[in-house]
Every structure is written in C-alpha cells, then in structure tokens.
Amino acid sequence: MNLSSSTSALAVRDPWAMVPSLGNLDAYISSVNRLPLLTQEEEVSLARSLRENADVASAGKLVLSHLRLVVSISRQYLGYGLPHGDLIQEGNVGLMKAVKRFDPDQGVRLVSYAMHWIKAEIHEYILKNWRMVKVATTKAQRKLFFNLRSMKQSLKDEAADVDTHRNTLTQSEVDTMARQLNVKREEVLEMETRLSGGDVALEPQSDDSEESYAPIAYLADESSEPTRVLEAQRRDWLASDGISKALDTLDPRSRRIVEERWLKVNDDSSGGMTLHDLASEYGVSAERIRQIEVAAMKKMRKALTEAST
C-alpha cells in the first residue's frame, strides 16, 4: 500500500506512542493537532486494508488522523462539569468504534461518520456520570437533556426585554421548547428543575461549627426501623431453629440426603456427597436421589411456612 509522504509520520510500529497520555492534557491536545490529516484516497485505502486484511496499523492511522475531531467535539460538553480528559477519552472510544464499522465504499468521509459515534459515546458517559440520580431515561428525555441549555440561552438572546439575572423559563419559552423537541411541556419543566437543582453533600464539608448539619445527620437509620428488625429476627430464626424443625419432619433417608447436599461443608470448603455418591450408597439411581431431594425440600418449605405464620 503506497501512501503519500504526508502520512509518513503516522507510519510507526506503535502509532499511539506518538500521542502522550491524558495525564498532560495540554500536551495531548497540542500533539493531536499536529498530526497530519489524510486525503480521501489515503483514507479509503487504509479503510479497505482494515476491512479486507484486519490491518491494525491501518486502523491506528485512521484513528490518529481524527483525534483532533474528538478534542473539538468534546469541548462542546464542558458545561456539564465533567473533566475534559474524561470526555476526550470517551470520545476516543466512539472514534475507534466508528473506524471499526466504517465502510469506505459508501462514499462518505470518515469524519462525517465518526462524528455521530463520538457524540453518542460522550452522551452516554455524561448521562451515567453527571449526577448520581439519572436525569434522562427515555430517548425524548435525552434529547431534551442535551438541548435544554442551548435552547434556553437562545430563547433568552432573542427576547428584547430579557432579564439577564432570570434563570427560570417563561410559559411561552416552555411551550416553544416543548413544541420544537416534540415533548410535553410538563417534561420540559421537570427537566429544568432537575438541571437547576444542585447536588447536596451527604456529609458536612468541615467540622468547624457544631451547628453545621448535613443530611447524613438526620437521615433515619434503616437498621433500627421496626419492620427491618422483625425481618432480621425472622431470618435468624429460619436459619437456625426453623431449619432444625423442618428437618425433623423428614424421614431419616430424606434428612441425610438434604444434609449431605445442602448443609454439609467439609474442611476443604467443599460440599457433601454428590447424587451419584448417595445413589451408590442406597443402591438406587441418581435420578431417584434427586426426586427424594426435591420432595424433601418441598416438605421443608411447607413446614417453614407454617411455622413462621
């Protein structure tokens, strides 16, 4: 495969060695912006080599030449309070997925195809990490989530009598956004409330004042809640006295089978006897031992249910 001299800088054994890690973000961005771009002919040639020969080196060159695209797209999402390096990292994952799936015979440049994969990966990362509580679950809510901020600012800029200190949406703005995004106005209001609400720390940020309380100070201790206490006591009874009483309802053979199969632990942490071991001892088939075990377990469950009611 003959490529022009403009891509000679990419022809290295380990193409990623040219790019520093995200530990030094400024150096990384500076490096990827200096990487040469591919012509359409070079891009098609590399993509075909990847598809037909699974050429990893070609994939690396395609990825390297589009790293600057990831940096550019990631800057659009800095307003969500997430580290720029993390956004770039997730965008790079999307870029690699795009390179893997790219078809050079479709007549579309990789930059146009990769853009959608990069944004999708960044969107997914933001939705998972922007808040502990997920703010968007459905497709319509995700669209609203990523368009609310820009549309809100655009509507304010268009208003002649805009109050620069106003953060809430007017009724007309809510109606306009709901119509343009094809969602209910109630959903616009709910998403606006979620996005405008700040995160609250569970624990106090400092111990300087005795009067500084955080939610952790007045949240209920569920372990002391009466229902939880009763449930814990019932579980303890079932695990000890309940099991003993249920075993007493079985005949000797059924009891031994259950104890060997479910309750016995040897010194080497292994279980008791297998179905075949028990079958050999009692002179019956392994299937017969399994049937006795099933019947015994059913009888024990019935005894436990009756004892706990």
Side-chain angles (χ1 to χ4, degrees), residues 246-258 282 292 295-296 299:
L247 286 170
D248 290 341
T249 64
L250 304 177
D251 62 83
R253 184 175 65 171
S254 297
R255 176 167 182 156
R256 182 157 186 272
I257 291 174
V258 170
Y282 287 106
I292 295 173
K299 190 173 183 179

Side-chain angles (χ1 to χ4, degrees), residues 13-127:
R13 191 166 194 177
D14 181 9
W16 291 104
M18 296 181 60
V19 183
S21 68
L22 288 180
N24 189 335
L25 188 58
D26 291 337
Y28 174 86
I29 294 175
S30 177
S31 296
V32 300
N33 285 334
R34 290 197 303 268
L35 291 172
L37 297 175
L38 298 173
T39 66
Q40 186 170 4
E41 292 75 17
E42 293 166 346
E43 183 179 288
V44 170
S45 178
L46 289 169
R48 284 177 177 164
S49 177
L50 172 60
R51 286 177 64 89
E52 297 171 5
N53 306 316
D55 185 3
V56 178
S58 295
K61 294 170 186 175
L62 288 169
V63 171
L64 282 170
S65 66
H66 290 80
L67 288 179
R68 69 181 69 195
L69 174 65
V70 176
V71 172
S72 176
I73 293 176
S74 65
R75 288 197 179 101
Q76 303 172 19
Y77 300 94
L78 292 177
Y80 294 97
L82 295 171
H84 192 192
D86 290 352
L87 294 173
I88 292 175
Q89 204 159 259
E90 295 301 317
N92 286 343
V93 173
L95 172 59
M96 287 185 281
K97 289 182 178 179
V99 168
K100 182 179 179 180
R101 294 166 173 80
F102 180 60
D103 184 356
D105 298 323
Q106 292 294 324
V108 179
R109 291 298 301 267
L110 178 57
V111 63
S112 301
Y113 181 75
M115 189 178 302
H116 302 287
W117 283 92
I118 295 168
K119 288 184 177 180
E121 207 68 29
I122 293 177
H123 285 186
E124 190 68 24
Y125 171 74
I126 292 174
L127 289 172

Side-chain angles (χ1 to χ4, degrees), residues 204-213:
Q205 301 303 305
S206 66
D207 298 327
D208 296 339
S209 174
E210 295 182 356
E211 298 181 355
S212 60
Y213 292 102

Side-chain angles (χ1 to χ4, degrees), residues 213-249:
Y213 292 102
I216 195 67
Y218 49 80
L219 289 176
D221 182 4
E222 292 188 356
S223 63
S224 300
E225 200 269 327
T227 304
R228 297 294 181 91
V229 173
L230 291 175
E231 289 178 351
Q233 291 176 348
R234 181 172 180 273
R235 284 195 301 270
D236 293 340
W237 181 86
L238 288 174
S240 55
D241 295 343
I243 293 294
S244 297
K245 291 182 180 298
L247 286 170
D248 290 341
T249 64

